[in-house]
Structure formats: C-alpha cells, structure tokens
Amino acid sequence: EMSEMSERSKQNVAHGLAWSYYVGYLKIVLPRVKKSMEEFSRANPNVLACRETWKLHILVPLSCDFYDDLEKADSNIQYLMDLAETTMTRAGTKKRVYKHSLYTIRDEDNKLWHCVVEYATPLQSLYAMSQDECAAFSREERLEQAKLFYRTLEEILRGSKECAGTYRLIAYEEPGEAETHFLSREILWHLRQQQEEYALSEGNQPHTPSTTLHSTELDLQISESDLPQPLRSDCF
C-alpha cells in the first residue's frame, strides 16, 4: 500500500534519478576530475589560475529544459577543449569513455574565465516525462521533482568522501523573460565565489568581492530535515 501511494505521488522519481546519477556516473568521474585538471594546468599554466575552480560544475536548471550545446544556450560560453579521457570497462561495454569539456566564459568586462561545466543529464528524463502522456507528469510536478532531485543529489554528494572538493552544483530558475547571457552570469557568479573562497583560504583579500547575496543561493538553502520527504512547495 505504501509503495502504491508513493508511486501515485511520484515521490520516488527524482530520488531514484539522483542516486542513479551519483552511483552510475558522478562517483566514477568526479574523483578523476581534479587529476585531469592538474594535468591540463601543467601543460597550460596560465589558463586555470584558481585551484578552487578545478571542479566539475554541474548545471541544474529547475525547468529541466536545456540545450545540448552550451554555446547555443549563451554566446558568452565557448568550448575550448576536452580534458584527458578516462577509459574503463563497464556494464559489458569495453573501453567505455568518460570525458569532460573545458569552456571559456566571457564576462561583462571581456575577461575570460575557464571551467569544466555540463548539465545534470537526468533532468532530461524529467523533462521528457512531462512531455509524454503515458507518464502523466505535469509541469508543476516536474518542477517539484527537479527541486527534490537537487536536494537529494546535494545530500548524497555532501556525504561522499570520494567526491569531496570535486564538484559545484549550480541550481537556478530561468527568468520569465529571455535573457541572452543569463547562463554565463550564473556560472560566473559561482566562479567568483570560488575565487574569493580560494583567496581567503590563502590568507589574501578577495580580488573581486561580491556585494550582493545571490538569489539562487537564497532560494536553495538546504536543511537536514528536507531530505528525503514528500514533495513540498514551501521549501523554495
């Protein structure tokens, strides 16, 4: 009876997707990300100046809708190159390849920033379900599931020793009206925050201090009681 109730309310969808994403992908690739970036930095010492940004930046759009090509999403985001590939045999596939792309982000002053960034791919499943009549998944349910996916993934990664210091979750809700460079500004905000954290950890004053608190960070604060629970709309 409990299983049927949970299935009807779709509480298990986002929770399962988050765990699958972690176990089947992030737990494999994240421990290798920093090593790949260290190798790249040795060959290109002037590109990745701030070690605090040597992470996989995972985009979590709460709409669950996104471009496969980041350059089409925002012209201030440009592909630079791929990091070294990781090859392993998995689930019957010989020499399965895992790789990440390094991007250049141009800010409002034409300064170039660099980071490894990609979307959280399970969100495509949530979006597809909301478009499929068989899933009976409404837009409102999709939004709640996206929030639950974020909260669950955040909690999982926070407790993972293997993945500590290797990722940055960037959850955001797109503005009502289209903004040409909204995505690049979201990423830049996080890069600047990490730069400040790095500068402070080194005992220096931050180079680019932030004077405002980011709205997304306010909206997505996590409490210990939030995970996992029945879907709620009052957390955001």
Side-chain angles (χ1 to χ4, degrees), residues 33 37 40 47-50 52-59 70 76-83 100-106 112-118 168 170 183-184 186-188 190-192 194:
V33 166
M37 298 193 76
F40 175 84
V47 176
L48 298 173
C50 179
E52 190 63 30
T53 64
W54 293 9
K55 302 172 182 176
L56 177 61
H57 295 77
I58 304 171
L59 301 176
L70 277 168
N76 279 348
I77 304 174
Q78 295 295 317
Y79 167 80
L80 183 61
M81 64 178 295
D82 291 332
L83 297 181
H100 306 285
S101 297
L102 182 66
Y103 286 87
T104 298
I105 317 293
R106 185 182 300 275
L112 300 181
W113 301 66
H114 300 88
C115 71
V116 178
V117 58
E118 62 186 47
R168 178 89 171 192
I170 304 178
L183 184 56
S184 59
E186 285 288 315
I187 297 172
L188 285 167
H190 283 269
L191 292 176
R192 285 168 174 146
Q194 291 173 95

Side-chain angles (χ1 to χ4, degrees), residues 56-235:
L56 177 61
H57 295 77
I58 304 171
L59 301 176
V60 186
L62 297 182
S63 69
C64 300
D65 189 17
F66 53 80
Y67 287 92
D68 286 322
D69 189 341
L70 277 168
E71 293 174 311
K72 292 182 179 178
D74 190 322
S75 60
N76 279 348
I77 304 174
Q78 295 295 317
Y79 167 80
L80 183 61
M81 64 178 295
D82 291 332
L83 297 181
E85 298 176 349
T86 295
T87 304
M88 60 190 302
T89 298
R90 186 165 176 82
T93 301
K94 296 287 187 179
K95 297 181 179 180
R96 177 170 288 183
V97 175
Y98 297 88
K99 66 179 182 180
H100 306 285
S101 297
L102 182 66
Y103 286 87
T104 298
I105 317 293
R106 185 182 300 275
D107 68 14
E108 59 278 5
D109 298 319
N110 284 324
K111 177 183 175 181
L112 300 181
W113 301 66
H114 300 88
C115 71
V116 178
V117 58
E118 62 186 47
Y119 286 104
T121 52
L123 294 178
Q124 287 183 316
S125 297
L126 287 177
Y127 186 81
M129 289 176 69
S130 70
Q131 303 298 306
D132 194 317
E133 293 182 2
C134 296
F137 215 55
S138 70
R139 181 180 179 279
E140 291 74 19
E141 287 171 324
R142 184 185 73 202
L143 177 60
E144 291 302 321
Q145 289 294 312
K147 294 174 181 178
L148 182 59
F149 173 84
Y150 170 83
R151 293 196 298 265
T152 305
L153 184 61
E154 165 67 29
E155 185 72 7
I156 293 169
L157 288 171
R158 188 184 298 155
S160 173
K161 294 181 180 179
E162 303 99 317
C163 299
T166 63
Y167 68 92
R168 178 89 171 192
L169 294 180
I170 304 178
Y172 59 91
E173 198 159 10
E174 292 89 341
E177 297 182 2
E179 294 184 21
T180 307
H181 300 303
F182 170 78
L183 184 56
S184 59
R185 287 199 298 270
E186 285 288 315
I187 297 172
L188 285 167
W189 187 88
H190 283 269
L191 292 176
R192 285 168 174 146
Q193 286 295 301
Q194 291 173 95
Q195 187 182 68
E196 290 183 10
E197 292 163 8
Y198 176 71
L200 290 171
S201 70
E202 292 295 303
N204 301 318
Q205 292 298 316
H207 298 294
T208 54
S210 174
T211 56
T212 59
L213 188 58
H214 198 262
S215 60
T216 301
E217 291 294 302
L218 278 172
D219 292 341
L220 298 175
Q221 290 294 323
I222 308 301
S223 69
E224 292 299 325
S225 61
D226 281 338
L227 291 160
Q229 291 184 4
L231 297 181
R232 296 165 50 191
S233 60
D234 60 330
C235 298

